Amino acid sequence: MKKITLIGLLVVVAIWGAGYYINTLQAAGKETKTMRLAVVTSEDRSLTKGLYKFQEIVEEKTNGEINVEVYANGVLGGDREVLEGLQLDTIQGTTMSTGPIAQFAERYQIFDLPFLFPDRESAYDVIDGPVGDQLLDDLEDQNLKGLAYMENGFRQLTNNKKEISNVEDIQGLDIRTLENELHMSIWNQLGANPTPISYTELYLALEQGTVDGQENPVGNVTTANFYEVQEYLTKTNHVYNASAFMVSKPFWDSLTEDQKDVMSEAAIESRDYQRELNQEESEEGYDLIEKEGMTVTELSEKERQEMVEAVRPVYEKYESILGEDLLNQVFEDANGFPLEELEN
């Protein structure tokens, strides 16, 4: 008869303890729920770490009544598949950039207007305020429940052809964009050829030369190893990407009031944790990609303003779609002056 090792004994005790705890919950009439969180980013990305933080808080504060599982790297599908999974309650939660969400909830396009937010703080003022809350409420029409906004960060342009320092340099480049008409409009106005490709397929598309470049926050450039297949990054800051944290509404409706309170509190706590991580990730990201050989280019104020002017027609196009009042409110909240002053 083989001797039981200390590790083996500990494993047996742990399994017995888990079984005993679940049986105790069941005996007490408490239902254990499984909550699957899916995200396209890697385990190392701050967005995924934000979900792990949410998992930690919820499991602890519900005393095991809710078991949270995190699936990274797009293993449960790309953005569209994950959103559809939430609607069907086959996936119970995610954090996702507002661009893909806008394909389901139209008003989310407001956050992806080019050069809308001058800095993170102005973005927080809007997304954590009344407008952000209104748009979270919009998600209920899509069988989703919005709880908070994490952040993907400011999007930057990378490519494998040449250094980009002005609008003229962008002309004719094949650029991967989100599957979002507004994002495609931005790059059309800047003279590129936009091509929507799923994030989970992007590395291969860059490696094979299907597109010349892409645009993403630097945290995605590093954690997805895009620096291996891209030579140049330009700090365009053309779109600030909020990343909404959402759960399946059928799942939400199945929760007790106490469980909903835990979820809401955990969403805010993990949001703050993730944002701090994302800022650290961005700072470290630029050091990393330069060490890996990428050329990083800063735009001058004049060159940046030329890009702002080039995308002005995007605002005119989407004013009728989003509504003049909403557009003016968000712009003034973010910039401290009305949109009409910019137009003049």
Side-chain angles (χ1 to χ4, degrees):
M1 185 176 187
K2 292 183 179 179
K3 292 183 179 179
I4 298 176
T5 65
L6 177 58
I7 293 176
L9 181 60
L10 290 173
V11 170
V12 170
V13 170
I15 293 172
W16 177 85
Y20 176 80
Y21 186 67
I22 290 172
N23 288 336
T24 301
L25 285 175
Q26 291 173 339
K30 294 181 179 179
E31 179 188 1
T32 57
K33 296 179 180 293
T34 297
M35 182 181 193
R36 289 171 289 273
L37 304 181
V39 69
V40 299
T41 51
S42 72
E43 290 93 342
D44 295 333
R45 184 71 166 95
S46 64
L47 287 167
T48 312
K49 291 178 180 178
L51 297 187
Y52 286 131
K53 173 59 74 172
F54 179 86
Q55 174 189 46
E56 174 190 321
I57 298 166
V58 168
E59 289 186 343
E60 178 183 347
K61 291 190 175 180
T62 64
N63 296 314
E65 290 177 20
I66 298 177
N67 174 52
V68 182
E69 301 171 352
V70 178
Y71 296 87
N73 290 304
V75 295
L76 296 187
D79 290 328
R80 176 172 285 275
E81 290 80 13
V82 169
L83 268 175
E84 291 171 348
L86 260 69
Q87 292 175 317
L88 297 171
D89 197 26
T90 56
I91 297 170
Q92 285 70 48
T94 188
T95 184
M96 185 179 297
S97 291
T98 51
I101 297 171
Q103 305 308 300
F104 293 74
E106 188 176 67
R107 293 207 302 171
Y108 268 81
Q109 295 176 102
I110 191 79
F111 293 144
D112 286 53
L113 285 168
F115 305 105
L116 174 62
F117 298 110
D119 49 44
R120 280 193 183 92
E121 288 67 30
S122 63
Y124 297 160
D125 287 344
V126 173
I127 63 179
D128 296 339
V131 171
D133 289 343
Q134 287 174 33
L135 269 67
L136 289 178
D137 291 342
D138 282 3
L139 295 174
E140 299 211 11
D141 291 338
Q142 299 300 319
N143 219 24
L144 306 168
K145 174 66 178 178
L147 295 179
Y149 295 96
M150 295 183 180
E151 71 175 7
N152 206 359
F154 279 101
R155 301 181 77 87
Q156 318 296 358
L157 173 63
T158 75
N159 85 100
N160 209 29
K161 289 288 187 182
K162 58 185 176 179
E163 183 177 6
I164 305 297
S165 59
N166 54 50
V167 174
E168 288 71 27
D169 292 334
I170 298 173
Q171 308 304 302
L173 284 179
D174 296 323
I175 300 296
R176 176 268 178 181
T177 69
L178 292 168
E179 298 174 79
N180 176 288
E181 186 180 339
L182 190 154
H183 279 252
M184 295 178 70
S185 295
I186 293 170
W187 292 100
N188 274 322
Q189 288 298 137
L190 290 171
N193 302 314
T195 304
I197 297 174
S198 172
Y199 185 77
T200 55
E201 300 169 5
L202 180 51
Y203 183 95
L204 185 61
L206 294 170
E207 184 178 43
Q208 294 181 341
T210 305
V211 287
D212 301 319
Q214 61 85 50
E215 44 85 50
N216 254 298
V218 68
N220 285 351
V221 176
T222 56
T223 57
N225 299 329
F226 293 154
Y227 56 80
E228 295 176 349
V229 288
Q230 297 278 271
E231 291 187 26
Y232 306 97
L233 180 144
T234 302
K235 292 184 179 181
T236 48
N237 285 344
H238 53 278
V239 167
Y240 170 82
N241 251 173
S243 187
F245 180 77
M246 306 169 286
V247 299
S248 165
K249 191 168 187 302
F251 176 74
W252 176 262
D253 290 341
S254 75
L255 301 176
T256 67
E257 289 305 313
D258 285 345
Q259 290 169 341
K260 289 177 181 177
D261 288 343
V262 169
M263 290 270 179
S264 297
E265 292 166 8
I268 298 300
E269 189 174 338
S270 57
R271 174 202 73 185
D272 294 343
Y273 170 82
Q274 185 274 333
R275 286 179 181 176
E276 185 175 340
L277 277 186
N278 192 64
Q279 292 172 33
E280 294 172 4
E281 196 173 70
S282 295
E283 292 170 8
E284 294 167 359
Y286 288 113
D287 292 337
L288 173 62
I289 63 175
E290 287 186 297
K291 286 178 183 175
E292 293 292 338
M294 284 192 79
T295 298
V296 176
T297 302
E298 298 263 5
L299 292 174
S300 70
E301 187 55 40
K302 176 177 178 294
E303 289 153 352
R304 175 182 167 80
Q305 190 57 37
E306 287 176 354
M307 289 191 182
V308 172
E309 293 294 331
V311 298
R312 187 72 58 79
V314 177
Y315 278 77
E316 296 167 4
K317 175 181 178 181
Y318 280 87
E319 183 177 55
S320 60
I321 297 172
L322 298 169
E324 183 179 353
D325 291 343
L326 177 64
L327 179 56
N328 286 335
Q329 179 185 354
V330 171
F331 188 90
E332 186 159 6
D333 287 350
N335 294 276
F337 60 88
L339 179 59
E340 62 186 27
E341 287 189 18
L342 178 68
E343 293 172 347
N344 293 331

